[in-house]
Amino acid sequence: MNKPSKLLLPFVFFIGFFWQSNVVAQDQYPDWTLLFTKVQLDSLLQKYETEKDTLGLAYTYWSYAKYEEHSNIPDISPMATLHKSMEFFLAVGDSVNYYNIRGAIGSYYMDRVYIKKFAKEYIESSVNYFRINDWPSLEIGHLVNLANIDIHENKFENVIERLERAEMLDKEVEGEAFTGRIHSAYADYYTRIRDFEKSLEHAEKSRVIGEKLKIGWLEALAYYLKAASYRELGFQEKRIEALLKSLEIIETNEILYQLKKEIYDNIRDYYFYKKDYENAYKYANITLRTVEKIYTSKIESDLRSFSDYNLIEKQRITVAKLALEKKLAENEIDKLETRQQMYVGVLFLTLLILVLLVIAFVNKRAINQLEINHANKNNQINTLNALIEGQEKERERIAQELHDGLGTMLSRIKILMGKGLTQENTVQMLDDACSELRNISSNMQPSNLTNFGLVKALQDFVLKQNSNEPSIIFQHFGEARDLGKNKNLMIYRITQELLTNSLKHADAKEILVQIIFSDETVNLTVEDDGIGFDETKIKEGSSGWNNIRSRIDYLKGMLNLHSDRETGTSITISIPLA
C-alpha cells in the first residue's frame, strides 16, 4: 500500500490562491482577474514596449500568465511570464504585486526537489511582507501554502498556529474559497497524524465549498483526501468511489496532470489490493504515461530551467545596484569638474593662487579616486555578467544532456516495453538511465567535492584523467581547509578547465597539478612541459579563459602565467582565504 502522498500539489496551490487574491489593479492597465485573448495580450505588450511603460508591461505579463494557466495545454507554461511580471513590478517599486507573484512562484517550487529550497524562502518572504503591511487578504493564501510546506515535511510544530491564524484572517476577509483551502490543509494534516475521522470531516467541508463555488480542483482534491482516509480505515469501496469521483471532475483538465497521476496511482493500488491485475496493469500504464507527460510538459521544463533563478536574480539585483552606483559616481565627477572650473575662475578673480591651487589639487585627487572607483564598478559588473553568462551556458548544457541522454533512454524503454521487453532487460536499461542521471548530477556538483572536500575531489579528478602519456602528477601541501561551498566549487572548476586545456593543446609528456594551503592564501599551480603558446594571442572572446579570469576576479585572486616553447606552460593562481 502506498504511503500518504504529498496531497496538495503545487499547481493546485497556485490556482487556489493566485487568481483569488484581492490586489487592486490600475484602471488604465489590463485587469489580470479577467481573461484576455493572445492577440489582445500581444497587442498590449507591443504597445507598452513602444511606450517604455514598465508598469503596463508588469500587468500585461501578469494577465498573460493567467491566459497561459487557463489555456489547458501542456505545451504552454505561465512560469516565464510570471518571472517577467515580478521583475517589472520590482523595477517600478510595486512591492505589493512583487511579493504576491513571488509567493505564487514559490508555490510551484514546493514539491520539486531540485528547487524546493527556494519555495519556503519565496513564500515566507511574501507572508512576512503582507503581515507587516497589514494585507490579510493577501497574507492568507501564502500562509496556507507555508503551512502545507510544513505538513509535507512532517514538521508539525507550527502547522496549527499557521492554520489558526489563517482562519482568523479568513473571518476578516470572508472569502469562502480560502475557507475551502484551509479545510483541505487540515484534512491533509490530520491524515498524516492518523486522525482519519477529523480528516474526513474537513475534507467533506472543503468538498461542499468546492461544489458550491464550482471550483473543480478543490472539489476533486477533497475527494482525493477522503480516499486517503478511507484507505487507512479499510473502507476500500468508499475509497475507489471517492477516487473515481475525483478523476471524473479533472479528467479533461490537462493542466492538473500531477493530481491525475496521484489518482491513477491510487486506483492502480486499489485494483492490485483487489487482485484485479488486469485493471492494475492498465492504470499502471496510465500512470507511466502521465509521468512522461509531466516530465515533457512545458511547465516542468520551465521549472528545471529556473532551478538556479534565485541565484541569478540576486546577481541581477547586485548588477543593477552597481550600475546605479556607477551613475551616481559619474554625476559626482561632473559636479566636481564644474566646481573645479569655478575655483579656477575664482583664482583669477581673487588672485588667491596658492589657496585655489591646493583646492584644485584636492579636487583632482578626488576625481581620480572616483574614476578608479568607476573603473572598479565596471569590472565588478563585467565579472558578474560573465558569471551569469557562464551559468546560462551551464543550464543549456544540462538541458541538452537531459534531452539527449536521459530523455532518449526513457523514450527507448517506453517503446521496448510495448514490444514485450523482458524484466531483466528492463532492469538493465533502468540501471543505465539511473547511471546517466548520476553522471549529470555529478557534473553539476561533484559528489566528491561535497563529501570529501577540495583536495580529495581534485585528487580523484586527476586520477580519472591519468594516462601513460602525458603523466599527471598531483601534489598538495599544507593543512587543507574548508573554503566554503562556492570557493571550493570555483577552484575545482578552474583546475578542471586548466588541466583540460593542457591535455588538449600542450602535447606534454608530464603535467603537474599542485595546491598549497598557507595561513593567508591557497595557491594553485598547473604546469606542463609541452609546446607552450603565445600569451598575447589568447582570443578575447575565448569562453574558457573568460570563465577562468571571471572566477579568479570573483575570488579576488591573482593569476601568474608564463609560457614558451622551450619549457612549456606554468600557471599559478593565488587566492586569499579571507
Side-chain angles (χ1 to χ4, degrees):
M1 235 180 239
N2 293 341
K3 294 181 179 179
S5 303
K6 294 179 178 180
L7 303 176
L8 300 182
L9 301 171
F11 189 83
V12 176
F13 293 148
F14 176 72
I15 298 176
F17 106 94
F18 185 64
W19 304 125
Q20 295 182 26
S21 299
N22 298 317
V23 178
V24 180
Q26 303 293 327
D27 293 339
Q28 66 267 36
Y29 298 123
D31 184 351
W32 57 266
T33 62
L34 305 176
L35 279 176
F36 293 85
T37 67
K38 186 176 186 302
V39 173
Q40 290 173 317
L41 292 167
D42 287 338
S43 176
L44 286 170
L45 285 178
Q46 185 176 5
K47 171 189 173 185
Y48 292 131
E49 284 172 357
T50 302
E51 296 174 354
K52 299 187 181 336
D53 188 337
T54 304
L55 190 57
L57 288 170
Y59 276 103
T60 305
Y61 275 118
W62 200 350
S63 296
Y64 222 121
K66 183 180 180 181
Y67 157 76
E68 290 169 331
E69 184 262 307
H70 279 270
S71 62
N72 203 24
I73 301 173
D75 290 336
I76 293 180
S77 161
M79 291 306 301
T81 44
L82 279 176
H83 280 293
K84 288 180 181 178
S85 178
M86 182 178 72
E87 289 173 358
F88 282 129
F89 278 126
L90 177 63
V92 298
D94 188 338
S95 299
V96 174
N97 286 321
Y98 168 79
Y99 278 104
N100 198 38
I101 297 177
R102 182 177 173 85
I105 292 173
S107 67
Y108 273 109
Y109 294 166
M110 290 173 62
D111 285 328
R112 274 76 174 186
V113 175
Y114 47 90
I115 49 176
K116 188 174 182 178
K117 63 180 180 179
F118 296 136
K120 195 163 189 176
E121 176 188 336
Y122 274 44
I123 297 172
E124 201 164 42
S125 67
S126 298
V127 168
N128 291 337
Y129 177 82
F130 292 125
R131 182 173 298 180
I132 291 170
N133 291 278
D134 193 23
W135 281 78
S137 61
L138 297 181
E139 179 189 347
I140 183 172
H142 301 291
L143 187 60
V144 174
N145 280 349
L146 203 55
N148 279 312
I149 291 178
D150 288 338
I151 293 171
H152 288 182
E153 295 179 346
N154 293 322
K155 297 177 181 177
F156 302 131
E157 58 269 17
N158 296 319
V159 169
I160 295 299
E161 177 186 346
R162 284 173 174 155
L163 291 179
E164 286 179 348
R165 176 171 174 80
E167 287 182 295
M168 179 193 72
L169 296 174
D170 189 34
K171 290 178 182 178
E172 181 179 345
V173 173
E174 297 182 351
E176 204 166 4
F178 286 136
T179 306
R181 289 189 57 216
I182 293 170
H183 283 304
S184 273
Y186 271 123
D188 191 7
Y189 167 72
Y190 283 119
T191 298
R192 290 170 185 270
I193 65 171
R194 306 190 67 77
D195 190 341
F196 302 115
E197 295 299 330
K198 284 188 178 180
S199 177
L200 287 169
E201 177 185 344
H202 283 286
E204 177 61 17
K205 290 179 180 179
S206 178
R207 185 201 67 79
V208 170
I209 292 172
E211 182 180 26
K212 175 184 175 182
L213 300 181
K214 293 183 172 51
I215 304 175
W217 68 264
L218 186 61
E219 186 180 0
L221 188 60
Y223 276 120
Y224 180 66
L225 290 165
K226 293 177 75 172
S229 292
Y230 288 142
R231 176 190 60 204
E232 299 297 329
L233 292 170
F235 301 149
Q236 294 297 331
E237 298 310 314
K238 288 185 177 181
R239 174 194 178 192
I240 190 63
E241 180 183 352
L243 287 171
L244 292 174
K245 284 182 179 179
S246 180
L247 184 60
E248 180 183 356
I249 293 170
I250 65 166
E251 185 67 60
T252 59
N253 194 327
E254 287 296 328
I255 205 70
L256 292 175
Y257 46 72
Q258 294 215 47
L259 181 55
K260 283 195 287 187
K261 178 262 178 189
E262 294 291 338
I263 296 172
Y264 291 141
D265 200 37
N266 275 266
I267 294 175
R268 173 201 58 77
D269 180 58
Y270 166 80
Y271 283 122
F272 187 83
Y273 172 81
K274 289 291 186 179
K275 298 184 179 180
D276 184 348
Y277 300 117
E278 181 178 351
N279 275 320
Y281 179 75
K282 169 187 171 183
Y283 278 96
N285 280 333
I286 294 174
T287 302
L288 179 60
R289 290 196 299 271
T290 305
V291 170
E292 291 173 351
K293 185 180 291 186
I294 290 172
Y295 184 81
T296 58
S297 67
K298 184 67 167 62
I299 186 171
E300 291 297 322
S301 174
D302 281 356
L303 284 168
R304 288 192 293 272
S305 68
F306 281 117
S307 63
D308 59 344
Y309 179 84
N310 191 55
L311 176 60
I312 295 175
E313 179 190 22
K314 289 178 180 177
Q315 290 175 339
R316 284 174 176 160
I317 291 173
T318 302
V319 170
K321 182 179 178 181
L322 290 171
L324 178 60
E325 291 177 357
K326 171 188 169 185
K327 183 65 175 177
L328 292 173
E330 290 174 347
N331 291 339
E332 188 65 21
I333 289 173
D334 290 341
K335 291 179 182 178
L336 287 170
E337 288 177 343
T338 301
R339 189 181 304 165
Q340 184 178 5
Q341 293 173 359
M342 179 189 69
Y343 288 152
V344 172
V346 172
L347 172 66
F348 285 107
L349 292 175
T350 62
L351 299 178
L352 298 176
I353 299 174
L354 182 60
V355 174
L356 292 180
L357 282 176
V358 170
I359 294 173
F361 173 75
V362 170
N363 278 329
K364 186 63 178 178
R365 287 186 59 186
I367 291 171
N368 290 339
Q369 185 59 48
L370 286 170
E371 287 175 342
I372 291 171
N373 293 340
H374 174 77
N376 289 338
K377 298 297 182 185
N378 276 335
N379 289 336
Q380 291 179 48
I381 291 172
N382 292 335
T383 298
L384 286 173
N385 282 332
L387 287 174
I388 292 172
E389 181 183 354
Q391 289 167 345
E392 294 291 344
K393 289 181 180 177
E394 181 70 5
R395 288 168 55 199
E396 291 175 5
R397 180 188 68 77
I398 293 167
Q400 189 67 37
E401 288 183 3
L402 286 171
H403 179 271
D404 295 344
L406 188 59
T408 301
M409 287 182 176
L410 292 175
S411 296
R412 180 168 175 77
I413 292 171
K414 174 184 174 184
I415 293 169
L416 292 179
M417 284 183 70
K419 295 181 179 180
L421 186 65
T422 67
Q423 182 177 358
E424 181 179 354
N425 289 338
T426 301
V427 171
Q428 179 60 45
M429 294 181 76
L430 287 173
D431 285 343
D432 291 342
C434 291
S435 177
E436 177 69 13
L437 181 59
R438 284 193 296 272
N439 288 337
I440 293 170
S441 176
S442 179
N443 285 336
M444 292 172 65
Q445 175 67 43
S447 59
N448 283 345
L449 188 61
T450 303
N451 297 331
F452 303 109
L454 178 60
V455 172
K456 291 292 185 182
L458 289 176
Q459 189 174 31
D460 181 66
F461 173 70
V462 169
L463 286 174
K464 289 179 180 177
Q465 309 301 314
N466 224 327
S467 60
N468 291 332
E469 189 169 313
S471 173
I472 307 175
I473 301 169
F474 176 74
Q475 297 176 345
H476 68 91
F477 301 97
E479 183 179 352
R481 300 188 185 184
D482 183 5
L483 307 178
K485 181 178 178 182
N486 287 339
K487 277 191 176 181
N488 282 344
L489 182 58
M490 286 195 178
I491 293 173
Y492 182 89
R493 294 301 187 203
I494 290 169
T495 307
Q496 193 176 43
E497 188 78 35
L498 292 174
L499 182 55
T500 300
N501 284 345
S502 292
L503 289 170
K504 283 184 178 180
H505 308 298
D507 194 19
K509 294 181 179 179
E510 185 176 277
I511 300 174
L512 171 67
V513 178
Q514 183 184 84
I515 186 167
I516 301 173
F517 291 89
S518 66
D519 292 338
E520 298 180 354
T521 63
V522 55
N523 296 301
L524 174 69
T525 299
V526 177
E527 61 183 32
D528 60 65
D529 59 358
I531 60 176
F533 60 91
D534 187 347
E535 304 166 28
T536 63
K537 294 184 178 180
I538 297 177
K539 296 181 179 178
E540 291 185 1
S542 172
S543 60
W545 276 103
N546 282 345
N547 285 336
I548 291 171
R549 292 185 186 280
S550 65
R551 286 188 170 112
I552 294 171
D553 289 342
Y554 187 82
L555 295 171
K556 298 180 180 177
M558 299 290 292
L559 181 144
N560 185 14
L561 169 63
H562 177 75
S563 182
D564 61 49
R565 293 191 176 274
E566 298 296 327
T567 60
T569 300
S570 175
I571 300 170
T572 300
I573 298 166
S574 178
I575 298 168
L577 293 176

